[in-house]
Amino acid sequence: MSTERIDKSVSFEATEENILAVINVVKNLEKMTNKSSVEIVKKYTEGKCSSLAALINHLVPDCTITIAATLEDDGYTIKFYHYMVKLDKKNNAKTCYYDINGRLPEKDVMKYCCSLLKEPDKDKVYLTDVNHKIYLNKYDPVITKCVEVVEHTPSIITGQGKNKSKQR
């Protein structure tokens, strides 16, 4: 009998269905804490967007984390920001972005970010892929619970379509 610890971490194929399934798990776990849909959207668009993006990227590692940001007048300091994940054309028919509100087609993402970041001038909103690892917020009980639930029952994600999970 082996005494080696088995790593239960799972990862999923980079598909829209899998990303949306992760978002739905988060929404359902938040609802179990008696948060309304409005409170959930507010939480993940006004402060915890990086936690959601990190979670999605943890479970669907072939997606890209992207940040939309506006800068202070000095041109260097970030004033407002919002993290999302992106599926490129290689994994999707068209490049799309995803956050707590679901799918954001590339053609609509700038308008969405301008609204969210309260910046009417789209030339002042910058979209940049994040090249460094954003780690999971282990102090956020919903994010931690989501990882536990998905690792214990990967069919929550894979059951959304015909995509298979793969052991890491």
Side-chain angles (χ1 to χ4, degrees):
M1 183 181 225
S2 174
T3 58
E4 188 178 34
R5 191 171 82 85
I6 298 171
D7 184 4
K8 291 185 178 180
S9 294
V10 292
S11 63
F12 301 92
E13 185 181 352
T15 65
E16 178 171 293
E17 294 79 16
N18 289 342
I19 290 172
L20 293 175
V22 172
I23 292 168
N24 283 331
V25 171
V26 169
K27 285 180 176 181
N28 289 331
L29 289 171
E30 288 286 0
K31 286 177 184 172
M32 291 171 67
T33 67
N34 294 321
K35 282 194 175 71
S36 70
S37 294
V38 170
E39 291 171 316
I40 295 166
V41 168
K42 183 176 174 127
K43 176 180 178 179
Y44 291 101
T45 58
E46 297 180 15
K48 295 292 184 179
C49 56
S50 62
S51 294
L52 180 62
L55 173 68
I56 295 168
N57 188 243
H58 174 77
L59 296 170
V60 184
D62 290 336
C63 66
T64 304
I65 296 177
T66 300
I67 186 172
T70 59
L71 301 177
E72 295 286 355
D73 292 336
D74 65 10
Y76 299 102
T77 308
I78 292 177
K79 183 167 44 172
F80 298 111
Y81 64 90
H82 181 64
Y83 284 92
M84 303 167 281
V85 295
K86 174 176 75 170
L87 278 183
D88 290 315
K89 290 178 186 171
K90 67 179 179 174
N91 293 325
N92 218 17
K94 294 181 179 182
T95 299
C96 288
Y97 297 81
Y98 303 85
D99 73 355
I100 197 66
N101 288 307
R103 179 179 193 262
L104 306 163
E106 187 175 36
K107 68 180 182 60
D108 299 334
V109 79
M110 192 56 72
K111 182 178 178 183
Y112 173 78
C113 290
C114 285
S115 173
L116 193 63
L117 302 175
K118 299 170 180 60
E119 177 54 67
D121 185 353
K122 68 178 181 172
D123 291 334
K124 292 185 179 181
V125 174
Y126 302 92
L127 284 179
T128 305
D129 291 348
V130 177
N131 295 321
H132 61 278
K133 179 81 173 154
I134 297 179
Y135 293 95
L136 292 176
N137 181 350
K138 58 185 167 188
Y139 300 107
D140 185 319
V142 171
I143 297 298
T144 303
K145 183 68 173 172
C146 186
V147 171
E148 289 173 15
V149 166
V150 171
E151 287 182 350
H152 184 262
T153 315
S155 61
I156 288 175
I157 305 303
T158 59
Q160 302 294 313
K162 295 179 183 176
N163 302 304
K164 302 281 187 237
S165 70
K166 54 187 176 188
Q167 294 296 321
R168 276 200 269 189

